[in-house]
Amino acid sequence: MSDNNELPIACKLSERELVLRRQEIDESVFQDAEQVEELADGYAFKYTYDAAIVAKLADFIAVERRCCPFFTFELIFEQGEGPLWLRLRGGEGVKEFIRDGLNAPGRMA
């Protein structure tokens, strides 16, 4: 089995599909993030616990795994009804892809 850190950073969508997907992700996933933290190999997005957010994030992961296999996805549920964290991680270049390619929130440095 190959290591995701070795996969090339290349989305499988056409340019038009990618533009539409970026807009959809920005509107449906990143706008709900309360906080963004930079990780050594990606970013972590914090959300208030809510069943609708869980469903939205699970759908996001399911779709993105098909078009961007170089990502490692982590969905973390803190104790009780604490916040949720979506971590997008990967090999070299993934942070730049997340920051630039996915049009993530302006809070990202």
Side-chain angles (χ1 to χ4, degrees), residues 44-91:
F45 301 86
K46 180 181 177 182
Y47 301 85
T48 299
Y49 177 82
D50 178 271
I53 295 289
V54 172
K56 191 183 297 188
L57 294 176
D59 181 57
F60 166 74
I61 291 169
V63 171
E64 290 302 305
R65 285 191 72 192
R66 288 193 308 262
C67 71
C68 298
F70 51 86
F71 278 134
T72 296
F73 298 93
E74 297 173 345
L75 193 53
I76 299 163
F77 296 76
E78 290 194 9
Q79 292 179 345
E81 291 195 22
L84 297 171
W85 288 89
L86 169 64
R87 291 185 184 163
L88 296 176
R89 304 170 66 194

Side-chain angles (χ1 to χ4, degrees), residues 82-100:
L84 297 171
W85 288 89
L86 169 64
R87 291 185 184 163
L88 296 176
R89 304 170 66 194
E92 187 176 336
V94 164
K95 284 173 70 168
E96 292 78 11
F97 183 87
I98 294 167
R99 185 178 55 240
D100 303 334

